[in-house]
Amino acid sequence: MVEIVERSSDAKERLIESARQLIWDRGYVGTSPTAVLRRSGVGQGSMYHHFKGKPDLVLAAERRSAELMQAQIRRLFAGEGSGLRRIIAYLMSERDVLRGCSVGRLAGDPEIVADDELRKPVRETFSVLVRCLTEAITEARAVGELEARLRPEQTAAALAAVVQGGYTLARAEQSVEPFDRAIQGALDLLGVTADDIIGPSRTPS
């Protein structure tokens, strides 16, 4: 019985991860149940044993992407260093720029944004990001690392928008250069110098 449960659990995980990768690259419409089954190597009967249908599987895949991104964000902002260092580490994180953000790309999918339940993981993830950025900016202002004129919540939203917009610019040009320019522009607006940048570890996005 234990062996059967383990195989069933493995099949479910493969379905979720396969759907997650396909949605990341193809979006909701482009992610067919057939494509998920082909990529996962799981049988159709197993798929409908674990999920009611495509929307149910897509939601599970979205939640997985959201959980992964939220965990990465929390890890980064709980790391060592000052508030400014953590902001720089976030902006300069290593990313698969041309593929884009696994959660951010969901926000541009009409089928997902039109559905409150499917949109929820996206909304929650960016709430976590903006909150972590806001706390780091507030801390950096308090010790004089950032100018007092910067409003933490508004600045946090702007930085999140720079990263997500940078992905779009990069994909439009099929080059990472527009993304890099956007990040450098954000650092310039924060008044960050080359000396400030030296030191933060470049962690996966």
Side-chain angles (χ1 to χ4, degrees):
M1 180 65 70
V2 173
E3 185 180 356
I4 293 173
V5 170
E6 287 176 347
R7 284 205 301 265
S8 177
S9 176
D10 179 63
K12 184 176 182 180
E13 286 301 310
R14 280 155 49 202
L15 286 166
I16 291 173
E17 183 59 22
S18 295
R20 190 177 84 84
Q21 296 294 334
L22 288 167
I23 293 164
W24 190 349
D25 292 328
R26 303 183 185 180
Y28 185 95
V29 171
T31 301
S32 67
T34 300
V36 174
L37 291 173
R38 186 181 303 116
R39 184 180 183 118
S40 67
V42 172
Q44 185 174 359
S46 182
M47 179 175 178
Y48 289 104
H49 169 74
H50 292 294
F51 302 101
K52 298 174 185 177
K54 178 177 173 178
D56 191 34
L57 175 57
V58 167
L59 182 58
E62 280 191 83
R63 285 173 174 163
R64 178 63 52 79
S65 286
E67 288 167 3
L68 290 171
M69 184 170 170
Q70 289 177 35
Q72 290 170 345
I73 291 167
R74 290 191 173 99
R75 243 187 342 261
L76 191 152
F77 283 96
E80 296 181 359
S82 66
L84 180 60
R85 290 281 175 162
R86 295 198 298 276
I87 295 165
I88 293 171
Y90 165 69
L91 291 173
M92 298 188 68
S93 292
E94 295 286 356
R95 296 175 168 94
D96 189 348
V97 173
L98 295 183
R99 194 179 189 195
C101 173
S102 62
V103 175
R105 290 191 65 178
L106 299 173
D109 194 309
E111 283 72 23
I112 289 174
V113 297
D115 186 301
D116 288 343
E117 194 67 21
L118 292 178
R119 192 174 64 251
K120 185 177 179 181
V122 182
R123 185 177 69 249
E124 290 177 345
T125 299
F126 285 114
S127 291
V128 169
L129 173 59
V130 170
R131 182 167 65 251
C132 287
L133 279 167
T134 298
E135 291 171 357
I137 293 165
T138 299
E139 180 184 326
R141 283 182 64 213
V143 297
E145 289 182 318
L146 291 175
E147 296 181 24
R149 65 178 177 81
L150 295 176
R151 293 177 291 175
E153 191 169 354
Q154 287 82 351
T155 304
L159 293 179
V162 165
V163 172
Q164 293 302 315
Y167 283 127
T168 300
L169 295 175
R171 286 174 61 79
E173 294 290 335
Q174 282 299 289
S175 167
V176 299
E177 291 182 9
F179 183 91
D180 290 341
R181 287 196 296 270
I183 295 300
Q184 186 55 59
L187 294 170
D188 290 346
L189 290 172
L190 291 175
V192 173
T193 66
D195 289 339
D196 295 318
I197 295 174
I198 296 173
S201 60
R202 294 171 66 85
T203 55
S205 170

